[in-house]
Amino acid sequence: QIFDTTLRDGEQVPGCKLDREQKLVIAERLDLLGVNVIEAGFPVSSPGDFQSVEAIAKLVKNATVCGLTRAVKNDIEVA
């Protein structure tokens, strides 16, 4: 099983900021490569991240899409 964190953890690199379209391209390619799980973002962190995770979940055909969350009720409900 391959669990990829590029779309969430990759943005932790100083100077790296992906826009929604870039995230969609990367997610689609990860799916085509056969990645099993794509951690698409941290939905509670911003409306933009929530929308990106939602769009990725609609786009991806094979992989499971998940979002990072803390063990906080609101975070879990948003994700």
Side-chain angles (χ1 to χ4, degrees):
Q1 295 276 328
I2 301 172
F3 186 105
D4 188 274
T5 64
T6 301
L7 297 174
R8 187 210 44 88
D9 199 37
E11 286 197 309
Q12 304 305 309
V13 176
C16 180
K17 181 66 181 155
L18 301 170
D19 65 31
R20 184 174 167 181
E21 292 307 313
Q22 291 169 317
K23 288 182 178 187
L24 289 170
V25 168
I26 292 168
E28 187 171 40
R29 293 194 179 153
L30 289 170
D31 194 36
L32 290 172
L33 284 171
V35 168
N36 303 97
V37 181
I38 299 170
E39 187 177 60
F42 188 24
V44 78
S45 67
S46 72
D49 214 39
F50 177 88
Q51 292 166 355
S52 291
V53 173
E54 186 175 50
I56 290 165
K58 290 177 182 174
L59 173 73
V60 168
K61 307 253 186 295
N62 301 302
T64 298
V65 176
C66 68
L68 179 70
T69 147
R70 301 170 292 182
V72 176
K73 184 178 179 180
N74 184 58
D75 285 21
I76 295 166
E77 289 172 350
V78 169

